[in-house]
Amino acid sequence: METLAPFVLLSPLAGFLVNALFGRLLPRRVVGWIGAGSVGIGFIFSLNLLLQLLTGAHSLDQTYFTWWQSGDFSVPFNLYVDRLSTLMILVITGVGFLIHVYSIGYMREDPGYSRFFAYMNLFVFSMLLLVLSGNLIWLIIGWAAVGLSSYLLIGFWFERPTAVLAARKAFVMNTIGDVGMVFAAFLIFLNLRVLDFQGLFSRVHQLPKGGGVITAICLLLLVGAVAKSAQLPLHTWLPDAMEGPTPVSALIHAATMVTAGVYLVARMHMLYDWAPAAAATVAVIGGVTALFAATIGTSQVDIKRILAYSTMSQIGYMFLAVGIGAYAAGMFHFMTHAFFKALLFMAAGNVIHAFHDDQDIRNMGNLRAGLPITFWTFLIGTLSISGFPLFAGFFSKDEIIRAALSAPGTEFWLGVVALVTAGLTAYYMFRLFFIAFGWEWLSHDERHLHEALPVQTVPIVILAAGAVVGGYIPVASFLTPVFGHAVDVGTGAFIGLAALSVLVALIGFLAAYLLHARRPDLAVVWRTRLGPIHALVEHKYYIDELYDRLFVRPGVALARFLNDIVEPRVIDGAVNGVANFFLLEAREFRLIQTGRVSSYALWTLGGAIGVVVVVAAFLGYLPVRLGG
Amino acid sequence: MTINLSGIGIDYGAILPELVVAGTAIVVLFLELFVPPDRRRWLAAVTVVGLLGALVATISLWGQNRSAFGDTVIADSLAAFFNVLLILITIATVAISPRYLEALDLDYGEYYILILGATAGMMLLAAATSLMTIFLGIELLSISLYVLSGFARTALRSQESALKYLLLGGFATGFLLYGMALIYGATGSTTLRGIAAFTTAASSNAGGNVLLLLGIGFLSVGLAFKASAAPFHMWTPDVYEGAPSIVTTFMSVATKSAAFAAIGRVFIATFPSISSRWYFPLALIAIFSLFIGNLVAITQDNLKRMLAYSGIAQAGYILLGVLPGTAQGFSATLFYVAAYSLMNFGAFAVVTAVAAGGEQTAELSHWRGLFYRRPFLATVMTIFMLSLAGIPPTVGFFAKLFVFQALVSAQIWAPLIVAVIMTIVSFYYYLRVVVIMLAAPDEAVVEKRRLGIPTSTVLGAAALATLVLGIFPAVVLDWATRAASLHF
Amino acid sequence: MSWYTLPGSVPWLTLSLVIPLAGALLVALTPGEVRRVVKQLGVLSAVITLVLVLAIIGGFQHGVGNLHLQFEETLRWIPSAGISYHLGVDGLSLFLLGLNALLFLIAIVIVDPLIPRLKQFILLLLILEAATAGILLSLDLVLFYVFWEAMLVPLYFLIGVWGEGQRVYAAFKFLIYTVIGSFAMLVAILAVTAINFSQTGQLSFDWTVLVQHPAAGIWHLPAGLGTIGIQQLLFIGFGLAFAIKMPIFPLHTWLPPAYTSSPIPVVIVFAGLVSKLGAYGFLRFNLALFPDAAHSLGGLLAVLATIGILYGAFMALVQTDLKRLVAYASMSHLGFIGLGIFAGNLLGIEGALIQMINHGVIIAALFLIVGMIERRAGTRDRGELRGLAATAPLFAALFLVVSLAALGLPGLNGFVGEFLIMLGAWASFIPMAVGAGIGVILAAWYVLRFYQGTTQEVPPQPATFGELRTADVGVLAPLLALMVLIGVTPAFFPAAVDATVKALPVLLR
Amino acid sequence: MVVGFAIVAAWEIVTAAGVVAFRKPIYNALSLVANMLGLAVLFLMLNAQFLFAAQVIVYAGAVMVLFVFIIALMNPESDVALPRRGSEWIYGAVFGVIFAALLVSLLFNRGLTGRPGTLTPEAIAAVGNVQTVGIALYTKFLFPVEVTSLLLLIAAVGAVYLAMRRIR
Amino acid sequence: MPVPAYSFLLLSGVLFTMGAVGFLVRRNPLVVFMCIELMLNAVNLAFVAISRYLNSLDGVIFAFLVITVAAAEVVVGIAIIVQVYRAGRPMDVDDLDLMKE
């Protein structure tokens, strides 16, 4: 069945190429609308795909050309469209489009305008390729392209040394993930002789369930997922990635990159179902990361960093969900998260612009008056992420917590972790809200802040709408053909658990209100009282420093050792030693040439004696017998 | 008893080339009386004409097998091969001589007579099939070369070189003769045919014959001395350095070629049945030559000395081809001798040409930046150096290839490995010359000195031949194979 | 590819050797003063060669011919020694031939017409092109060896005369190193022929003859030191030459000085092509003639190749001289090629083959870029360079693409080869594949340090670094096009080489 | 016969030692003359009358006269004035003794293995010693003799070239 | 009682060795040259003795040639020595070391 899937891809690719090649020649308005429009067109094509799927097709798989063919190693370039990928591309292109539109306003004064849009389109294209790819190789290609795009965008302001470093860090971390993915592909191919998804899914049951191979495959895939989704322990790039322009953060965090890991696990759910240990690992990583990132989020003062840790935390939820098999819940949360996180970032972008690129929340305030639209939409986003009832985040998060708590065994504890995290989420989000947007929002402030342009606010408003009503989209049932039916929970339990999570969120909210709005002095007291713990959390558990000591510095030291000692002294030293040996010998032998006739004759006579000796040896007159 | 000449094979046709060369010497001797001193180039011309005549005479001998004068001399393909080689070397030498001699004020007619005498001796050596003629050939060439080494009569170095060569040559001749006497005593014959008949006879137990083995040993001392193979090589660097460059050019290639002709006839044709006896000492001599020659050459700062050591090393390679005692090996030897003659002659001729250009020293430091001053000389020198090192596409490569092939076929490994390692060492000093010629000159002088047509022709032809034979070696290899195959 | 059939009566391969030589002759006959003409003659002959080679590639038919060899030419050369003039092209050499022609064209195009002794420079480059093409085309072992050694001479002079820094030392070291390997190979060549002669009674240096009777037997070491297989000995003999040329750790110390001293046009062909010839030699001779030894020694060499990957990567991490940095990067990449070869399976070898092309393209581009940096900035010290992108965004963009290809980004050509190589290696020895994976991560690290360290951050004021000129884009464009093309649709490659690789004896064992 | 040989052999060794050991060149030369005369006697004992004559005339008569003449021409005391250097004597003696010992031990009691020819002393005596040699020189050994003539010519040319003072 | 052949060979060997030793130890070129003559004479003795015992004439002729050639060599050698002498150099072969390493 013919699909329009390639056009979903080609549209942003065309945008990328046009802006990359001719962007500097085009007027800014044109550049911006090409950038945004290409993604928008991609969204329209995605809608077409959605329509096709809703009208009966189960999945669409079309091969366009052969990438490599030798022996039984055959890799096509095929696009695989099912409801999972359709959901993904809808969010990517939809939310992506809004972010692009927002960027038209946000980046309007930046000299690298066309470059920015080219990168953004490349980003969207890469993500779409990742999602639509029907085989592992092209998924990896898209996967790496996403990493590249993020590298480009994080290092967009390449004059800043911090941005350059952050970009490199992101890339190297992602490369670690890529290598994991590649190794997973090796194991899959060598055991199942197949790399395209349909073949893979049909053959995966040839492997013993829970066996070493399938577990190794899933764990290696997980390495990729963890790196891309900034989960523990490969998460350190994500906060640094805030060096990029804010729309980039929105794109990375909301619609594209970091959710790729979730998508990967969901896409490979047949494998993870077949490898329970690996799936459990996914869940544990997700749960731990969720809590871990949330705790860090409570102590940061950079607005974008707080949002970054919140993303880590929310992705942790999604990992938790897909890890325990609640794939639909994970994807549901992915969607709602896309709405409110994009919203939060873009609103934060407006705030940062308003404060002339100051990102410290302690310097902010008086935003309701200055930036009313931003203020209200940000509040909606905060409520949604904190899981307040009837907002989108409430439904999706609740489904995850419910799935975890209702599962047997250790997963129950993961549910508890998720619950605690929900409370923390409410706490740090409202802490941010109270400090940055100002509890004193009722009072007036001398600062004259300006609301952003409509081109920036309109997308935020649209997303705010999504953040409110997104929870009513029946994602779970939409995805049923992919994942099968979700675990059914009784109404009573549903209400009970919902009440519980609301309660937890409320506690978080109240704590934030108490410490950062009502009694800021208490916050100070508690901070000193919790001194070491606070320092630990504020320094992100010193993991960056740990990695620096464990990997970076030893690596560089090793390199220097090789360069300064091993290469010149040992390896080249051996080579030169041999050469010097010959030279030395030569000088020794040279000395026999004395210039004196008698010594020359002595050599001749010596040679003659040698001849006689050899003759004697041949004839057996010497102990050493030569010849026959 | 009446004198009966019928049974001994008086055949002047068989020694025609030698006769022509000797005759030319006598003609030059007389002409010298009449040629005015400033026209001595005529003597060179006459010499070349005579040599060309000898070349023609030689060609008629190709493919024959004419033993003459009571088995003391033979006209066969091997002799013809060496005759051609030696005559070409001599022609080339004579062609580049006048300019050099005039530059050194040495242009006397005796030079050509002595060169012709030496050539006759070498040709005789190549054709000799009796111990007597071998001895006489060696002495003829030696006495000529003693005088030629001292040809620059007033130059201390030249005198010294002549005296050293004379004394050490006499010393080695003693061993040679003593060996011959013992062989004679062991076999009762002085002709190689008679000796071979004795050694190959089943009853003789030649492998256990003390006299014979000692004789062969001393004979090889004498021959190795002439071939400047270690440890009988000691005279080589000093004599080469002290002798006038043109003489060094001539003797470095011609003497060695002739000596290897004799070595081939003695070891391969006469004593094949006891090859297990002479293999070991000969292998030792080859290894020692390779070792000393290549190793000491890397420390040399004087080009003539360096080339002398290189010649010692090359003697080792050539000797390697003799070791298997096979037709393949001997044809490789012959090919190597031809290749060596070509490239070493070229190298020394460049030294001579540079010397004739006013630089009377062969110190390497004087060669700095030769590429920029005299690009033609530097280019041909580079070709010769590459060839001596054995880099394709030069004839030197195939020379080594064929010798190594023969060794591998005969499964002779130890000498081969030494040869390979030493070849690598040799790259160091051969290329050092190139490096120095490439180095930026101290002062940017561009001298445009004319080489003269004969010199540039000879050098160009030698360089071209080095390359052409490096691409199409088959012709020479076929000749060498046919020349070598007569004995088997 | 077989898009058409070339007439068989034309000696296409000989032509591809003769045209550069004819160009060299023309250059030699041209007076050195007319620099423009000299250079244009050089470019012209390189262009004609490239067109011819592309025609050969286009006319190559998949899986046809004796041992899948095509355009074979055989002439008598030295019959008495069993040596013949035998040329042919198959999947192993086909695309390398194209790379050869392309890189030499680029090298000649970028020659600065104002350098001293331009004529000799172009002349030597053209001779070198013929020699390297000859290496790829020779099917007679002696002919191969002749080209193999003949290649040294022009390279030696190109480095020794036109190089920089310790040029003479570097050229010398390179030469001596190479010669050590060459002579080991020469002995092995002779031995392999002698063994074949004793087994079959046929004295021949012809690859097509030798490949059908792999040597067998055991060699008893003297003094009762044990035994070693004949094949293993011969494998080592050949392997030493190729391992030095590649180079495989720890035989690499000639490489950094040689690359650093070479002028940019030379280092492009040196790093881009000559190093590949070592890998090619392994495939053509070691794997084809000694399949048993390849199995028994492959593991050891794979370990060395992996060490080379990591070692080169670590060394590249701390270099400040950009040429040296790229030199070590090249070494690291060549480790991948080695790993693929010694994995000894279809995918590893095909990966190595395509990675040979990729590496040629990438390293050539990297050295071109280093040359551009040095020409404009006057230095190639990483410590003094930064912020080049500020005034030269196009340069930075192209540089970025090259860097990404170099670090093996999926979607560009480097990935294709590395993926297949590591897959092949994984199938044979998993730890080596893991080591290679670490190498990939390190590559990301050092390549980005290289790229970012030069192009990014605030440039020193005043920023004078000039943007690319059309000519620069012109030489980079074909390389970049190849990077993308091979990265996205590499399928043409296995289609052409599959039959040859599958027929390699090492795979049949 | 044996006694005669022993006496002459002793004479030979003593005079040879004189050649090596005397410090004045003139004594060396005279010892050599004595040695050559002794050798001529041995030739006689070996039934080589022709060589006996040649040895006496050519060597003792011509060559040695040349030597003595040259010694007279040059400073006869020069060798005495040379500073002594002991090492050569040691090396020379050691090598000589080793060489001689090896040679003697190998040759001792070793018969000639060559096939004897027909020219027994009796057969020679029938024709006449000098006649036999003469016939051989001009028949069987014609070619070597001819070569020797060339050799002498070249040697003469060379010696004249070196020795003559030329005025250009 | 006839003298056995090997006694002549032994005498020849001893004389040869003495000549060689003289060559090694003496430094006056004339004396060194005389030692060469001594060696050649020793060889001649061997030739003649072998000739006698094998009833062949080759050895005698060989010895005759050796005598002739030695004479020629002496002529050339003396000429060279005279050249060196004329140049005013000491009559010491060990001092002739302009050329050495």
Side-chain angles (χ1 to χ4, degrees), chain B residues 342 376 384 456-466:
Chain B
L342 188 59
F376 174 73
F384 297 133
S456 43
T457 309
V458 166
L459 283 176
L464 197 64
T466 306

Side-chain angles (χ1 to χ4, degrees), chain B residues 109-125:
Chain B
E110 284 88 345
Y111 172 80
Y112 301 104
I113 301 167
L114 291 165
I115 286 274
L116 286 168
T119 309
M122 292 160 183
M123 288 164 69
L124 183 61
L125 189 54

Side-chain angles (χ1 to χ4, degrees), chain A residues 67 70 158 563 567 572 575, chain C residues 173 252 311 328 350 457:
Chain A
W67 186 75
S70 74
F158 58 78
N563 189 43
E567 176 93 350
D572 213 26
V575 174
Chain C
K173 190 161 186 167
H252 64 276
Y311 187 86
Y328 280 112
E350 282 190 358
E457 301 187 15

Side-chain angles (χ1 to χ4, degrees), chain A residues 332 389-391 394-403 405-406 471-472 487-502:
Chain A
F332 186 26
L390 309 183
F391 283 90
F394 165 73
F395 291 105
S396 58
K397 198 186 283 185
D398 200 51
E399 245 182 79
I400 294 171
I401 295 170
R402 193 174 66 232
L405 284 177
S406 58
Y472 303 103
V487 191
D488 230 355
V489 193
T491 321
F494 176 85
I495 293 170
L497 278 172
L500 189 60
S501 64
V502 169

Side-chain angles (χ1 to χ4, degrees), chain B residues 156-171:
Chain B
L156 297 185
R157 282 167 183 271
S158 183
Q159 292 170 359
E160 188 179 315
S161 137
L163 187 57
K164 275 185 183 170
Y165 196 16
L166 170 85
L167 294 176
L168 291 165
F171 192 64

Side-chain angles (χ1 to χ4, degrees), chain A residues 486-552:
Chain A
V487 191
D488 230 355
V489 193
T491 321
F494 176 85
I495 293 170
L497 278 172
L500 189 60
S501 64
V502 169
L503 181 67
V504 168
L506 214 54
I507 292 168
F509 165 76
L510 288 174
Y513 178 73
L514 183 68
L515 291 174
H516 300 291
R518 270 291 137 214
R519 300 277 307 276
D521 52 315
L522 265 183
V524 178
V525 170
W526 275 98
R527 195 177 304 148
T528 42
R529 198 168 291 172
L530 293 173
I533 296 173
H534 183 265
L536 183 71
V537 174
E538 190 174 17
H539 289 98
K540 307 154 228 167
Y541 296 93
Y542 295 101
I543 286 184
D544 269 321
E545 287 79 0
L546 185 72
Y547 286 179
D548 190 50
R549 297 261 159 80
L550 267 182
F551 301 110
V552 179

Side-chain angles (χ1 to χ4, degrees), chain A residues 57-374:
Chain A
H58 175 256
S59 65
L60 310 160
D61 191 349
Q62 179 104 23
T63 299
Y64 297 92
F65 61 85
T66 303
W67 186 75
W68 190 281
Q69 164 76 55
S70 74
D72 57 358
F73 181 75
S74 173
V75 179
F77 173 74
N78 62 333
L79 297 183
Y80 181 74
V81 182
D82 65 354
R83 292 188 170 207
L84 175 61
S85 45
T86 305
L87 175 67
M88 290 292 293
I89 59 174
L90 279 170
V91 172
I92 293 162
T93 51
V95 177
F97 172 68
L98 294 175
I99 295 170
H100 275 70
V101 172
Y102 171 84
S103 304
I104 293 173
Y106 188 83
M107 296 300 287
R108 63 185 179 278
E109 278 161 14
D110 198 279
Y113 196 65
S114 62
R115 189 162 58 93
F116 179 80
F117 277 100
Y119 289 170
M120 291 287 275
N121 280 2
L122 179 64
F123 206 144
V124 171
F125 164 75
S126 311
M127 192 65 199
L128 290 172
L129 180 64
L130 187 164
V131 169
L132 285 175
S133 167
N135 64 73
L136 206 49
I137 296 284
W138 279 91
L139 186 140
I140 291 171
I141 290 176
W143 194 262
V146 168
L148 165 67
S149 317
S150 69
Y151 163 81
L152 292 171
L153 285 167
I154 294 167
F156 181 75
W157 286 313
F158 58 78
E159 298 88 355
R160 299 183 187 167
T162 48
V164 171
L165 275 176
R168 182 153 85 220
K169 192 171 178 181
F171 195 94
V172 173
M173 288 270 181
N174 272 302
T175 305
I176 295 173
D178 294 354
V179 171
M181 299 273 290
V182 165
F183 286 171
F186 293 167
L187 277 178
I188 289 172
F189 175 73
L190 292 174
N191 287 291
L192 299 171
R193 315 307 287 184
V194 72
L195 280 174
D196 71 288
F197 292 154
Q198 298 226 330
L200 171 61
F201 298 154
S202 65
R203 292 194 200 177
V204 64
H205 299 291
Q206 293 172 3
L207 293 170
K209 180 167 185 175
V213 174
I214 186 72
T215 307
I217 289 171
C218 289
L219 287 177
L220 284 170
L221 285 173
L222 179 61
V223 173
V226 159
K228 194 68 66 185
S229 295
Q231 299 295 290
L232 281 172
L234 296 177
H235 64 283
T236 57
W237 63 271
L238 187 69
D240 292 357
M242 295 304 111
E243 291 291 344
T246 307
V248 174
S249 311
L251 199 56
I252 288 179
H253 291 247
T256 56
M257 184 167 174
V258 292
T259 56
V262 183
Y263 168 74
L264 180 72
V265 178
R267 169 55 76 213
M268 297 289 162
H269 66 276
M270 301 198 51
L271 276 65
Y272 280 94
D273 286 345
W274 211 241
T281 313
V282 176
V284 169
I285 286 180
V288 172
T289 307
L291 181 62
F292 170 85
T295 55
I296 298 175
T298 58
S299 63
Q300 301 298 310
V301 292
D302 181 317
I303 182 168
K304 283 174 77 178
R305 276 180 186 264
I306 297 171
L307 291 178
Y309 282 108
S310 93
T311 303
M312 259 179 79
S313 179
Q314 298 302 310
I315 304 284
Y317 273 114
M318 297 178 213
F319 263 64
L320 173 58
V322 294
I324 59 174
Y327 301 107
M331 294 317 294
F332 186 26
H333 193 56
F334 150 72
M335 188 190 75
T336 57
H337 177 254
F339 293 146
F340 58 68
K341 190 47 66 66
L343 154 68
L344 287 171
F345 263 113
M346 293 199 289
N350 286 349
V351 174
I352 292 165
H353 254 199
F355 285 98
H356 306 288
D357 294 338
D358 188 353
Q359 302 188 7
D360 192 329
I361 53 173
R362 289 167 301 187
N363 302 333
M364 296 175 182
N366 189 28
L367 287 165
R368 190 183 70 111
L371 306 167
I373 303 173
T374 305

Side-chain angles (χ1 to χ4, degrees), chain C residues 236 248-249 294-307 342 429 432:
Chain C
I236 291 169
I248 285 179
F249 180 89
H295 276 293
S296 59
L297 294 174
L300 173 70
L301 283 165
V303 171
L304 289 179
T306 312
I307 294 175
F342 305 128
F429 347 86
M432 302 307 118

